[in-house]
Amino acid sequence: MARESEVYAKWSLEMTRSGLFRPGERVGVAVSGGGDSILLLDFMTRFAAKNGLTLAVVHFNHHLRGAESDADESFVQELAGARGIEFFGGGADVARAARETRGNVEATARRLRYKFFFGLVNQGSLHKVATAHTASDQAETVLLRLLRGAGTRGLGGIYPALEGSVVRPFLNLTRAEVQSELRARKLDFRLDSTNLDTRLARNKVRASLLPLLEKEFNPAVVRLLKDLATRARDDEAYLEQQARDRARPWRVREGTEEKIPWSPLGDFHPAVERRVLRQMIAAARGSLRGVTHDHVEALRRFVADAQSGRRLVLPGLVARKEFDWLVIGAQPQAEPAQAEPDSGFSYPVEAPCAVSVPQLGLTFRFKIVTPGEAETSYTKCGLVRLNTARLSQGLVLRSSRPGDRFQPQGSRKPTKLKELFRQHRIPWGQRSLWPVLQSGAEIVWVRGYPPAAAVSPAKQAVMIEEEPYRPA
C-alpha cells in the first residue's frame, strides 16, 4: 500500500476524533463515478481496514443521460467487484418523476436518491451512507442560498450528518485537494457531462462566480464560506432550542392541531418567534417543505394584526385566531361540488320527543314537565325550560345561520348570534353547527344561553337536556 499522504493522514485523524464511524458498522459509500466519490471510496477503504468497518458501494442511476448514465453504473459496479466490496444499485426515471410531480429535476433527483439511501439504512442493509460532498460543494451551496435570500438555517448549507443515516466525511476537503489526491493516486473516474452545463445555477457558480471571488476578492473564500456554514449551524441549533424552551409553557397540542396564546407569542424576540412558528407548522404538517420565509412573515403579521375568527391559508395548513389563541391545523379537504356548504341540520320537534343530531354527536330530549319538576331538574342538572303556552306551533331544532338574532332573558333587544358567539368565546369552527330552537319565525333558545324573554317558564314547561348520540 502506498505511503499515506498528508491529506489522508489529516483526514483520517479527523474522522477518528469525530466519532462519525464506529467499529463494526456497515457503511455504504455513495459512488457516482465522479472524482470526489472515487477518492472517498479509496480513503474509506484504507480507513475501514484499520477501524473495523465493513464497506459497501452504493450507486443510484438517475437515467438522465441515457447510455452515459448506464456506463457510469457499470463502471462503479465493476470497481466494487475489483475491490471485493458489496454493491447496492438503485435507480429511477428522474425526468419523468419530475414531470409527474411538476418538480425541479435536480430537486427530484436528490429526493429519490436520498429515499434510496434511507431505504438501505431502514431495511437494515447498512448502518449509514457516506456521500462525497466537499468544502467546495459547501461553498457553492452557501452562495446559492445567500443569493436566494436564505436565513441562518439555509446558510448552514450541507449538514455533516442527516438524521444519523447519511454522513458527509469530506466537508473539510476542498475540490483542489481532491483533484490533487486523484492525480497522486492515479485513480480513474468518470466525467458527468451535465456538470459542464452552465445553464444550471450550481455549475455557473462553480465555473464563474467562485473563481471570480477567489481571484478578485479572497483566495480563501471557499474556506470562509465553509466556516460561515459551520457558525450558522451552531447559531441555528442554539436559537431552535431557545424557541422550544420559550414556547414550552404556552404551546399546546390538541389532536392534530398546534395552539399557543398569541399575546405572549408576540412578546418573543422576532428570531425566537419565527422559529416557534416554524416548529408549530412542522409539527402540525409533518415537514416544512414548501414553507418559505414569506409564509412565516405573513403568519407573524397575522398574529399581530388579525382579529379573532380570521384565517390565514398556508401550504397544506390553515392558521386561525380563536380569541386568545393562535391555532395551526391541517387544511380541510375540499368538499364535493354537490355537497352542502356547512352540512347544517334542521329537525322538527314535537315534545315530548328525542332528536338525534349526528353532526354534533348529541341527542336532545324534549320533555314536558310541571314547574316543580322543572325546578328540581334545573337545579340538579342545569337544564333549560321553555314556557309551552308561549311557544308557537312548529318547533324546529336547527343549526345557526348567518343573520340569526336572539334576545335571551335579561337583554333589552335582539342581538346577532355572531356577536353573542364572540362575546361568549364560542370557537369559530363550532359556530356554523351551533344548535338553536326556532318557534315560528322566532329563535326561542340557543344552546348555552337562557331562553328567550318571551317564553320564560310558567305552569308547564318544555325541558331540554342533551346526551351523547348512540347510533342504532
Side-chain angles (χ1 to χ4, degrees), residues 14 101-103 105 151 192 260 263 417:
E14 178 190 334
T101 60
R102 298 182 181 180
V105 171
D192 184 341
I260 192 169
S263 182
L417 285 189

Side-chain angles (χ1 to χ4, degrees), residues 14 40 58 96 104 129 142 169 189 304-305 315 351 360 376 454 458-459:
E14 178 190 334
L40 176 62
V58 176
R96 184 175 68 180
N104 172 276
V129 175
V142 172
F189 57 90
D305 301 331
L360 299 176
T376 301
K459 292 183 179 181

Side-chain angles (χ1 to χ4, degrees), residues 138 141-147 149-159 225-233:
Q138 183 74 287
T141 299
V142 172
L143 278 176
L144 284 167
R145 292 185 180 178
L146 182 65
L147 294 171
T152 312
R153 182 182 179 88
L155 294 180
I158 303 169
Y159 279 58
L225 290 170
K226 177 189 73 69
D227 292 343
L228 171 62
T230 301
R231 294 196 302 272
R233 290 195 301 274

Side-chain angles (χ1 to χ4, degrees), residues 302 306-312 319-322 428:
F302 178 77
Q307 296 179 343
S308 178
R310 298 291 186 181
R311 293 155 46 103
L312 174 68
R320 64 184 190 274
K321 266 192 169 179
E322 287 188 355
W428 181 89

Side-chain angles (χ1 to χ4, degrees), residues 181-241:
E181 285 290 301
L182 286 169
R183 289 192 296 270
R185 294 168 184 267
K186 297 182 173 58
L187 296 173
D188 292 330
F189 57 90
R190 300 276 297 175
L191 290 174
D192 184 341
S193 60
T194 60
N195 288 336
L196 304 177
D197 184 358
T198 54
R199 292 175 298 177
L200 300 176
R202 180 175 291 275
N203 292 342
K204 188 178 293 186
V205 167
R206 180 178 301 166
S208 303
L209 183 55
L210 264 180
L212 176 66
L213 293 174
E214 287 175 321
K215 180 180 179 181
E216 300 291 339
F217 294 91
N218 191 329
V221 68
V222 169
R223 291 287 183 190
L224 292 176
L225 290 170
K226 177 189 73 69
D227 292 343
L228 171 62
T230 301
R231 294 196 302 272
R233 290 195 301 274
D234 290 343
D235 290 351
E236 183 64 19
Y238 175 77
L239 288 169
E240 283 285 310
Q241 188 59 52

